[in-house]
Every structure is written in structure tokens, then in C-alpha cells.
Amino acid sequence: MMTYSEHPLRILRYSIKNIWLLVFPLLRGINAVWTDRNWFYNWLRGAWFDILTIGVIVLFGLVRWHCSVIRLTDSAIIHDDGIIIKVRKVIPYSRISSGTVERPFYLAPFKAARFRCDTSAGIFNSADMSFMVRESTCAELVKRLPQVNEEKRLGNIPRPTLMSVVLFSVFFSSGFTGTVYIAAFFFQGGNLARDLIGRSISTLTEQTAKISQRLLLRVPDAAIGIAIFFLAAWLLSFILNLLRYFRFDIKCDDQCLTTSYGVITKREYHISAAQINYTDLRQNLIMKLFGAVAVNISCSGYGAGRRSLPVLMPVKKQKHIGDEFEPIGVFMGVKSEYRPKRTGFWQYIWQPSIIAAALVPAYLLVVHFFSIASGLALFMLIMFEIPSVWFIIVKTAAFFTSGISVYDDKIMVRCCKWTGFHTIIAERKKLVKLELEQTVFQRIGKRCSVSLWFEGEEHIKYKVKAFDEKNAVKIAELLDRNAHISANLGS
């Protein structure tokens, strides 16, 4: 058995948890300033209290660090922690689903790294074990993680190109389409709002109009400022994603996957192939039109966190995915065996269609009662019609591409969530729940929806609408040995 401690920098982290104790020296200092002219002398005379408080904070961090002990045995990682209440975590090497090593640039001078270890147990994407250690200790921990056997390494797995990383950063930066749209809204809406308000105020007195004109000059500037803010926000997200996934590399054999990427913070992941819950081929409408796809996987610990995505391969041509990733269970060219019923088209597009149709009479009502606002109303109509029509196009594409296939020991689910298209490929045993849903209106047309849940720390629902009732029952019969069925079907 080998025993290690965390990096001494961890003392600061443990100490910060008690930083609230500094409120007492702060209150003492404020009291001295407000109650005594010779406050500096009195404050200095009682400085021992402040020093004692800081000493208690640092001492607590030091004791907590001393009690944090990492042990490596022949079969498991053991972490002892706690001062009054002792906590021991034990993770067998065979149960590790993924291990992560992060090396931020600011830890490099201290020869420190962050290590986290995850299993299929746990909730809320929290790490089962996480600590900051020396590089030498990190090297010993990495030896216990799943490793790629160089002799059995799969040589046909491609290395992502710079262009694929750039495209991935473009498509998956937060608010790409929405930010551009909002920016256009404010660029065009600023001048329109100024003109509208100007015409309204011109009916008032000349003196009021002169005063108001000075205020109106600020309207387009504010609108353009907001537009620039949203564009800058997307640009920042794009740059951060590019830096995060730059130098993306992947290696794998039939037992393990390793990925590494990053510039400012270098990340290295070791993933057990047996612990992968499913593969998620993600697209948006533009990617779908050009036949591009991003390969993601669901595995505990991989891509955990709000700023990370569990990407296995950035943007890649869909036609090449099957040949290159078939060794790790990603199959393409399989047609959907069960597809939505033709009469269920309305179920896909009814929401955006109703919104798009309702906008026109709403515009006419505004023009009828508030003719002075006709320009603004027309502008708002166009700006709200565009996303509504876009959603209709997205949901139409979803209707024609959604479906479920069951073949050999695998299941493939094609569906649409919000504006993103997903192709889920998983082993049947990874399916944990299947639910057949049928509303009153669906019962009339003998249609129903099929919802599926797979293993994973996050309980994500994948739903395919408008199946023929008989086909939905067939799917349930094929998968009932591995799934819980909750059905409410008409007889």
C-alpha cells in the first residue's frame, strides 16, 4: 500500500471555506473608525485579534489537509478525509468509469494537477473522488486508470483536424443563432424605435419635443450597445471553446478510450469502454443539411460540468462515422425500422404553427387600434415570425428523420430535442425505462409517443412522437426484458 497526501496548495482551499471568520476583524475595524479619532492606534493595539483569527483559519486548513490521505492498494483507491467526522471512500479500480487529469496553467509552477475519479454510481454529475495532488502523485494515480494498450490500439480512429475543432466551436458555442438574431433585432430596432417615438412626441409641444429629442439620440446607441454585447458574448464563448478543445487527440482499443485537449487548461480523460452508456450523434439543422455530425458519448465523469461537453469527435462528415467508429460500437447506415405515422405530422409542428399564425391577427389588431405603432408592430411581426418559421422547418425535418431501430443487441433512437437532432446508439441492456404515452387526441388517430431513458448519472428523456400504436407496442415487446414499461394505450 502506498500513501500520499494532497498538494500543500490545498491548504488554501480548505482555509477559504472559513473565510467568513474575517467578518469579526472587519466589524472591529469599522467600529474603531467610527467611534474613535485615534482609531488607527486602537486598531493596531487590538491587531492581535485579527492575527489570531487569520491563524485559526490557516490552522483549520492545515489540519484538514493533514487529515486528507490518499491510499493506493492493489485493488482500490482509498481516500480518508474529515477532522471530527471521518469519511472513507473506496473505489475499486475495476469500477472506475472515467478518470480525469486537469493541468491549469497557473498550477504548472507549483507542479500540481487536479485529479478526479468517477464511477457509474452517484448523482448530479459530482465527482466520486476529487483532489489536488503533486505531479508525481498524479502519475501514480493515472497508472490505476483505464489505459490504452498500444499493441491493440485501433489505428483507423482519425485524429480531429483544426477545422473540425473550429466548426465544433462555432456550432456549439452558447447562443450562436440566438445571439446573432438578438443582435440583428437591436441593430434594426434601435433606429425604428427612435423614429416611432419621435413621431409620437412630435404631436406634443415644441418645447417638449426639443427636450425629448436629446433623449432619443441615445436610443440607437443603447440598442447597438446591447447588440455588440450579445455578439461579444458569443465571440467569447467561441474563443473559450476553441481554446478548450484545441489540440484534440483520441486513442482507443477495445477496452479503453483516452482523449486529451486544451491550451490554457490541459485535460486528459481515461474512459472505460464497458462503462459507456450510449453514443450521441448531435446535429443542428445546418449540420444536418451538410451531412455533418459531432460524436458525443455518455459516460460518468466525462464532460461533466456546465462548460464541458462529452465530445468524442468534433464535427465530422456523417458518411465517414460508420467506417471509422464501428470498432467502438457506432454504426451508421441503419434505417429507422419504426417511423412516425404520416398522419402524425401535425403533432410535430402544431406549436410553432399556431404561434406563427397567431402573430398576423395580433399585428392587425395593433395596427387597427394603434396606427401610430404600425412600423414597430410590423418590425416585431417579422422578428417573431422568423424563429417561428425556423422551428416549423426544424420540426418538419424531425418528422421525416425521427424513428427507432432495434437490431442485434443494440437500439438506435433518432429524435429532436428543442432545435438539436440526436441519434442515440446503445446496447439494449443500457435501456432502463421505456414509456408509451398517449393523449386523448392521439387515441383518436391510434398514435402514441415512445420515451426512452438510458443508464447514466443524468436522467435524460429521448422522445419520438406519433408512432402507430401497433408499432409502439412492438417496440415495447422487443425491449420489455430490459425496460420498465408505463403505458396508457387505448384498447
Side-chain angles (χ1 to χ4, degrees), residues 227-294:
I228 293 174
F229 168 78
F230 280 104
L231 286 174
W234 175 83
L235 181 61
L236 177 62
S237 177
F238 166 75
I239 294 174
L240 291 176
N241 275 339
L242 192 61
L243 293 175
R244 183 177 293 116
Y245 297 105
F246 189 69
R247 299 177 64 182
F248 195 105
D249 190 26
I250 177 174
K251 296 186 295 183
C252 66
D253 57 21
D254 56 351
Q255 301 292 327
C256 173
L257 300 169
T258 63
T259 61
S260 60
Y261 50 78
V263 177
I264 297 176
T265 298
K266 297 180 180 180
R267 294 177 174 87
E268 178 184 331
Y269 294 91
H270 296 255
I271 305 164
S272 172
Q275 299 293 335
I276 297 177
N277 302 312
Y278 56 84
T279 305
D280 182 6
L281 308 182
R282 294 183 57 183
Q283 298 171 296
N284 56 31
L285 185 59
I286 298 175
M287 294 173 66
K288 202 169 190 66
L289 291 174
F290 286 94
V293 66

Side-chain angles (χ1 to χ4, degrees), residues 43-195:
W43 173 83
L44 190 62
R45 189 173 59 178
W48 64 269
F49 177 77
D50 300 347
I51 297 173
L52 178 62
T53 303
I54 295 174
V56 169
I57 294 174
V58 175
L59 180 62
F60 179 86
L62 182 62
V63 173
R64 180 74 187 276
W65 170 77
H66 179 75
C67 294
S68 178
V69 180
I70 305 165
R71 294 184 174 88
L72 301 179
T73 67
D74 294 335
S75 59
I77 301 176
I78 302 173
H79 183 215
D80 293 322
D81 194 15
I83 300 175
I84 300 175
I85 300 176
K86 295 289 186 178
V87 178
R88 169 170 289 188
K89 293 182 180 180
V90 180
I91 297 182
Y93 303 136
S94 59
R95 296 298 182 182
I96 296 175
S97 60
S98 67
T100 307
V101 179
E102 294 184 351
R103 296 182 173 90
F105 72 95
Y106 53 84
L107 291 183
F110 304 98
K111 296 184 179 181
R114 288 198 291 259
F115 177 88
R116 62 178 285 169
C117 183
D118 288 87
T119 68
S120 295
I123 56 175
F124 305 127
N125 281 334
S126 59
D128 296 318
M129 278 189 184
S130 178
F131 21 71
M132 183 188 297
V133 292
R134 297 177 177 86
E135 281 287 359
S136 57
T137 305
C138 185
E140 292 296 328
L141 290 167
V142 168
K143 292 179 182 179
R144 273 70 180 178
L145 298 178
Q147 299 289 336
V148 173
N149 189 330
E150 291 295 334
E151 296 180 357
K152 298 180 180 180
R153 179 179 172 182
L154 301 176
N156 60 336
I157 301 296
R159 182 175 182 179
T161 62
L162 176 59
M163 181 56 66
S164 68
V165 176
V166 171
L167 291 175
F168 180 83
S169 301
V170 168
F171 288 123
F172 292 98
S173 294
S174 58
F176 169 59
T177 303
T179 302
V180 174
Y181 186 80
I182 292 173
F185 179 91
F186 281 102
F187 271 125
Q188 298 300 322
N191 291 327
L192 182 60
R194 181 184 62 180
D195 295 339

Side-chain angles (χ1 to χ4, degrees), residues 371-384:
S371 58
I372 194 174
S374 59
L376 180 61
L378 178 61
F379 174 74
M380 298 296 292
L381 171 67
I382 295 173
M383 297 305 291
F384 281 107

Side-chain angles (χ1 to χ4, degrees), residues 243-399:
L243 293 175
R244 183 177 293 116
Y245 297 105
F246 189 69
R247 299 177 64 182
F248 195 105
D249 190 26
I250 177 174
K251 296 186 295 183
C252 66
D253 57 21
D254 56 351
Q255 301 292 327
C256 173
L257 300 169
T258 63
T259 61
S260 60
Y261 50 78
V263 177
I264 297 176
T265 298
K266 297 180 180 180
R267 294 177 174 87
E268 178 184 331
Y269 294 91
H270 296 255
I271 305 164
S272 172
Q275 299 293 335
I276 297 177
N277 302 312
Y278 56 84
T279 305
D280 182 6
L281 308 182
R282 294 183 57 183
Q283 298 171 296
N284 56 31
L285 185 59
I286 298 175
M287 294 173 66
K288 202 169 190 66
L289 291 174
F290 286 94
V293 66
V295 182
N296 288 16
I297 59 173
S298 169
C299 181
S300 299
Y302 183 54
R306 293 176 297 176
R307 300 180 181 178
S308 299
L309 292 172
V311 57
L312 188 64
M313 173 63 66
V315 176
K316 186 78 176 177
K317 276 289 187 179
Q318 187 171 354
K319 62 181 180 180
H320 301 313
I321 294 296
D323 297 334
E324 296 171 344
F325 287 90
E326 186 173 342
I328 58 175
V330 180
F331 294 88
M332 297 302 295
V334 178
K335 296 183 179 180
S336 296
E337 187 177 358
Y338 302 98
R339 306 188 68 171
K341 199 174 181 180
R342 291 183 179 180
T343 56
F345 179 61
W346 177 247
Q347 189 175 346
Y348 278 78
I349 67 167
W350 70 271
Q351 291 173 319
S353 297
I354 290 177
I355 294 173
L359 288 172
V360 176
Y363 161 73
L364 295 175
L365 285 174
V366 172
V367 172
H368 179 73
F369 290 102
F370 306 97
S371 58
I372 194 174
S374 59
L376 180 61
L378 178 61
F379 174 74
M380 298 296 292
L381 171 67
I382 295 173
M383 297 305 291
F384 281 107
E385 280 286 3
I386 292 175
S388 300
V389 173
W390 179 261
F391 269 100
I392 293 174
I393 296 173
V394 169
K395 296 305 178 182
T396 300
F399 171 75

Side-chain angles (χ1 to χ4, degrees), residues 203-223:
T203 60
L204 301 177
T205 64
E206 181 179 354
Q207 183 177 3
T208 305
K210 290 180 179 179
I211 298 174
S212 301
Q213 185 65 25
R214 297 178 182 177
L215 298 176
L216 291 173
L217 292 175
R218 298 180 179 272
V219 173
D221 295 337

